Amino acid sequence: MHAYTKLNLRQSRQLEAFGRKVTATAGHLIGPLGDGSAQQQYQNAIGEIHRELRRPLMQRSVFALAQSSPRELVRSTLSVPEIQHRALTYLPDELLANIPENHSTYSLFQGFRATVPDEEEEKGKHHKRRHGRHGSRGQKLLGAVAADDSKGPSELRDLRGEKVTLDRKLEMMAVRKNMCSSEIREIDNKISNLNTMRKLVLDRLANLEQEELELEHDLHEVDDKLEVLQEELEDAAALAQKSPVVGTVESADADEPGSPEIQESFMSESIYQKLPSPKSKRKRATRRISMPVLHEHLEPGSKIKELPAHEDVISALDFDAPFGTMVTAALDDTVRVWDLNAGRCMGLLEGHLSSVRCLQMEENIVATGSMDASIRLWDLSKADYLPPTREDNNINKGGSSENEDDDGGSVIHRDQEDDSEAAPDAIIAEAPPSSTSMQDCPLFTLEAHVAEVTALHFKNNTLVSGSADKTLRQWDLEKGRCVQTLDVLWAAAQASATIAAPGSNGGHNAGGWRLPGRQTDASADFVGALQCFDAALACGTADGMVRLWDLRSGSVHRSLVGHTGPVTALQFDDMHLVTGSLDRSIRMWDLRTGGIYDAYAYDQPISSMMFDARRIVAAAGENVVKVYDKTDGRHWDCGPGSNAREDISSVKVEHVRIKDGYMVEGRRDGMVGAWSC
């Protein structure tokens, strides 16, 4: 190893000597050529180079240098630790290009000093005071103590030191503020990036739900084809069993073309083939298999759809599920069925002789109560409606957005703001629905009231309706007839007779009707709202009373007193009952005690109210829907007039429904909006 080192050292010295000769030769060549001494020196240098190159040791050195790789050259020049250090500290150009520019006015050391708590600094001061002799030399070297500060009285030195300390603290405060501002800007950038990613994921979710809906439609079609084919096979087997057995011997008259048997069989077969089979046209169920979840991830208050549903005031509306089927009624004497996912009208429910005042939808069954004193039930699963596919929506996007057909055609306006979160398709122009799309939907009609039906509710096979004839009627939906009639005035008179003292009216009039604390609105419905469950019935009337009935006995077992105006809406669950009234208040009652659990009021009368697991929504005579969050007690507005960036609509909201955070509201101008709530 030692000999090898000496050999390398000798080769390097010879290379250095060879390089000096080449340098001298080049210097003479660049110099003036007219001098004879320069020519002689040039020839001498060339001769020496030739002699050097003829040496075997020099030739081996040049040959080894020519055969050496770059890695061997680097290893021979640099040591192993130096090579490792350069490899670890190397940064590619991609990383260097992404280094942000330094806009901070403070150094890294100042930022580090600013992060040290003041308590540690105070501890450091006490430590320095204890061991001041050890740090005196360092302070002098760093110039911490100025020469002029050592002069003067001790009080002056203390004040100067305190001033220096306060200046340093003030500087540290500025550094900390700058660090906080930088963190806030960094967080804002992260939030912006996350919002962008969230919008992309929302679009992906909307596309997945659309594909899921198309798969459900394909599944329904396959089920229908399977059912039709199965029935055709069963019919063919039944006909084969009923067909007569043909004998082996036939008469000559039967073989003739004009024989009666041939003509009869020919006519029967041709007629059988030409008559339309009732099983050839299957009805597609409108109930979805999977429930959409897109609205749950939208920002609360985001507009999903807006439909020009009617030409007059919306009188009633309801829907079965988010992005499902909706039924609307208005004072233009029409009842329309809507596909909320596609935003198109499926058809019209025709049969009532006047406007529909109340309706309810449960899955595919719809019950409507009209001003013609009748109640009709409909089965929407029998509707002849084919939901549009994505290709249909793409074709219809090019249509006009200003037209609406008189037969029920609809135009969908989606929120076009850049920062709003809504479903993907923006504007869809639809063709009018077929006039026969709902012709198979009517089930039966219930007729017993003698005045308009203002409220109804059904659960399972029981339906209860309230009318302006001051009666409540219980209906058996299996038999299609009225099984019980409840007289509200008689029940109020019985209750007042048991409470009032003999010889006094007990605060009631001659008919036993309770006089409210304020004048009753003459235009208010006598039965404003009701809901039934099993044998329990809750009914709100124009006197402000909420009566709880037992349908088994037909009597009132509890009356809730509190409202001073007609009750227009109510709903109950297992523990609470919520009511809305024209006295501008919404009251929550405890069904176990009969007392008021909570209450709040708005500026205008309540015309409609409903709640789900989290929120209570109400239409309170404004251009917005009033929302009360039961979890945190927060009140906020949702609807057409809640967004300050849009043109604030002055049209009042009349009716509102909410299910699983998906809210639908109907207005006085016939518009219907769907919102994420």
Side-chain angles (χ1 to χ4, degrees), residues 616-636:
I616 301 176
V617 295
E622 298 183 16
N623 59 352
V624 295
V625 176
K626 298 294 185 179
V627 182
Y628 172 70
D629 199 322
K630 295 186 291 185
T631 57
D632 56 7
R634 183 172 62 96
H635 291 267
W636 54 284

Side-chain angles (χ1 to χ4, degrees), residues 380-424:
L380 297 185
S381 64
K382 299 179 180 180
D384 183 16
Y385 171 71
L386 182 64
T389 61
R390 185 179 303 181
E391 289 76 10
D392 298 336
N393 291 341
N394 293 335
I395 293 174
N396 291 329
K397 281 181 182 179
S400 174
S401 61
E402 301 294 334
N403 300 326
E404 181 184 359
D405 234 316
D406 296 336
D407 296 334
S410 62
V411 181
I412 312 306
H413 300 273
R414 302 299 301 269
D415 196 357
Q416 297 294 325
E417 296 181 9
D418 294 336
D419 55 348
S420 64
E421 297 175 343

